Amino acid sequence: VRIYHAPSGMMEFPEDSLEEYRSLAQALEDNGLDSSTCPTWIPEDYQLISVRVTSIGDVEKYSAIYDSERGELFIQVIDYSNAEWAITDEREEDGRLYTKDNVEYYINSNLEQAKAGWKVGKYSYMANGHITEDELIQMLNSIK
């Protein structure tokens, strides 16, 4: 059981939605992937506006876009399990390392945006948007 100090934003579409996937987690699960290494919390002022699944050769991209008055928040999962290679986002010199449950998260932030990249097995993850570094850490801490 996880308890968070702030309520989460809307990470899924309503049940009566006509969208193919109601959430990023559903897109992953419906395609046979584990969603447990994705954030389960976003700042409460954000709501889901898009879930996309894109195939590029042997690589599958899963992405969700959330919107708020302050801007967009983007979460992406790239599945390299059918490919002969895998990559992660490049580490930037001014970033920092955050480790949780033996997973290394590379974090970069400025006054208006924060970005994290991490890799678990053959999956590469990225979260990027108009959020604070503290909010980004809270997102990362929501991962099971």
Side-chain angles (χ1 to χ4, degrees), residues 63-81:
S63 59
I65 301 172
Y66 307 88
D67 195 29
S68 167
E69 286 186 17
R70 57 180 154 158
E72 290 185 342
L73 172 61
F74 179 73
I75 300 175
Q76 178 177 274
V77 180
I78 302 176
D79 174 15
Y80 292 102
S81 60

Side-chain angles (χ1 to χ4, degrees), residues 7-60:
S8 181
M10 298 299 298
M11 295 192 74
E12 61 183 43
F13 290 116
E15 284 188 37
D16 60 351
S17 171
L18 299 176
E19 299 291 329
E20 182 176 5
Y21 302 107
R22 288 188 54 225
S23 66
L24 178 59
Q26 182 191 7
L28 293 167
E29 292 165 7
D30 285 0
N31 287 282
L33 280 71
D34 181 8
S35 66
S36 68
T37 49
C38 283
T40 59
W41 180 91
I42 58 173
E44 71 176 320
D45 56 324
Y46 279 90
Q47 67 179 19
L48 181 64
I49 61 170
S50 175
V51 175
R52 294 187 187 132
V53 177
T54 309
S55 295
I56 304 170
D58 293 334
V59 176
E60 299 281 327

Side-chain angles (χ1 to χ4, degrees), residues 52-125:
R52 294 187 187 132
V53 177
T54 309
S55 295
I56 304 170
D58 293 334
V59 176
E60 299 281 327
K61 278 185 168 184
Y62 300 85
S63 59
I65 301 172
Y66 307 88
D67 195 29
S68 167
E69 286 186 17
R70 57 180 154 158
E72 290 185 342
L73 172 61
F74 179 73
I75 300 175
Q76 178 177 274
V77 180
I78 302 176
D79 174 15
Y80 292 102
S81 60
N82 294 322
E84 297 291 321
W85 50 274
I87 61 168
T88 57
D89 279 346
E90 233 177 85
R91 298 178 204 171
E92 296 180 25
E93 290 181 20
D94 59 345
R96 72 179 183 99
L97 179 65
Y98 174 71
T99 304
K100 177 187 160 294
D101 299 330
N102 295 320
V103 176
E104 293 182 336
Y105 301 89
Y106 296 94
I107 298 174
N108 292 288
S109 61
N110 62 31
L111 295 176
E112 295 180 15
Q113 286 202 340
K115 176 181 180 180
W118 65 102
K119 187 173 184 268
V120 178
K122 288 271 192 167
Y123 304 129
S124 178
Y125 300 83

